[in-house]
Amino acid sequence: AQSVAQPEDQVNVAEGNPLTVKCTYSVSGNPYLFWYVQYPNRGLQFLLKYITGDNLVKGSYGFEAEFNKSQTSFHLKKPSALVSDSALYFCAVDQENQGGKLIFGQGTELSVKP
Amino acid sequence: DADVTQTPRNRITKTGKRIMLECSQTKGHDRMYWYRQDPGLGLRLIYYSFDVKDINKGEISDGYSVSRQAQAKFSLSLESAIPNQTALYFCATSDNYNEQFFGPGTRLTVL
């Protein structure tokens, strides 16, 4: 069965420092991987995805993520955090040929302090 | 105008009542989804539809039903609401394997 784990409930970072939000996954076939962000009282917004190709994918708002097949990970990164990046981040996985049924991680609350 | 809209945005109801949550989209996508979000559990798929004639159960469909009235409309019903259905409900749409677009959510409280 497909699954996604976000091992940290909360990540705290100082503004200007690099940030990493971790995600590991388990699928039996080729994974389709996604990151979404949720701001308070809002729906989820798409950040980036990995389907195939280059392991480093770049997305919205300066975020990027690296697909690591051997470690079954898809960590979200940003070189320099902003206070406005503070939000709830979700990793999600779909499996090739499963037709868009996303399995979400439990979410990681990112807090960026000035 | 928002691409994916949900009504109502907030609803408080009592145990045993029938509730319908509605979702409309203007993105022209064939695929639509209903999720619920609970703190610490992420989002869980309730039902999904890949076209007007296609309805499928998700991970947690018990106690829920859906209707796909048109390509643009996908409704979620709670036939007899119970307190553990108190949650934030999201509708989403997608085009095949591309990213899903989410509505603003409906906060449902069942007393």
Side-chain angles (χ1 to χ4, degrees):
Chain A
Q2 297 170 225
S3 65
V4 178
Q6 294 179 241
E8 300 156 317
D9 291 335
Q10 185 158 7
V11 170
N12 298 306
V13 178
E15 188 174 31
N17 284 0
L19 70 87
T20 299
V21 183
K22 296 179 180 177
C23 172
T24 59
Y25 66 90
S26 174
V27 299
S28 57
N30 292 323
Y32 295 170
L33 295 156
F34 301 81
W35 275 102
Y36 289 84
V37 59
Q38 184 180 29
Y39 297 102
N41 302 313
R42 302 284 295 276
L44 277 69
Q45 297 177 31
F46 169 78
L47 279 179
L48 50 78
K49 66 182 177 185
Y50 171 84
I51 302 296
T52 187
D54 194 345
N55 289 345
L56 183 64
V57 293
K58 296 186 182 296
S60 306
Y61 313 121
F63 284 93
E64 59 188 27
E66 186 169 11
F67 170 62
N68 188 318
K69 188 172 183 177
S70 63
Q71 297 185 6
T72 61
S73 67
F74 190 57
H75 301 330
L76 181 70
K77 299 182 180 183
K78 187 174 182 181
S80 179
L82 300 173
V83 173
S84 57
D85 292 330
S86 299
L88 186 58
Y89 289 81
F90 290 99
C91 181
V93 65
D94 184 17
Q95 186 176 326
E96 187 178 22
N97 297 325
Q98 292 297 307
K101 293 185 297 179
L102 292 179
I103 302 296
F104 283 83
Q106 76 273 26
T108 298
E109 187 78 42
L110 173 67
S111 178
V112 182
K113 301 294 186 184
Chain B
D1 288 341
D3 294 323
V4 184
T5 57
Q6 293 183 234
T7 55
R9 294 293 311 278
N10 289 282
R11 182 73 184 267
I12 300 174
T13 191
K14 296 181 178 180
T15 297
K17 294 292 188 180
R18 184 178 187 274
I19 296 296
M20 178 179 285
L21 309 182
E22 298 186 339
C23 176
S24 295
Q25 54 112 347
T26 59
K27 299 194 72 66
H29 291 163
D30 285 327
R31 301 184 177 204
M32 298 188 73
Y33 311 81
W34 274 105
Y35 295 91
R36 65 175 280 174
Q37 181 180 14
D38 299 277
L41 294 179
L43 276 74
R44 292 179 291 167
L45 184 63
I46 306 172
Y47 271 94
Y48 62 102
S49 169
F50 285 170
D51 64 42
V52 175
K53 296 180 181 179
D54 176 76
I55 302 289
N56 303 280
K57 293 182 178 181
E59 180 186 354
I60 53 164
S61 59
D62 288 349
Y64 302 94
S65 63
V66 292
S67 173
R68 184 79 184 268
Q69 300 96 325
Q71 184 201 40
K73 296 184 181 295
F74 192 36
S75 300
L76 176 72
S77 294
L78 287 68
E79 296 300 327
S80 180
I82 56 176
N84 76 1
Q85 292 177 313
T86 292
L88 190 55
Y89 290 85
F90 287 104
C91 174
T93 75
S94 76
D95 181 6
N96 295 330
Y97 294 103
N98 289 321
E99 63 269 23
Q100 294 184 16
F101 293 83
F102 285 79
T106 295
R107 187 170 297 280
L108 177 65
T109 302
V110 183
L111 301 175

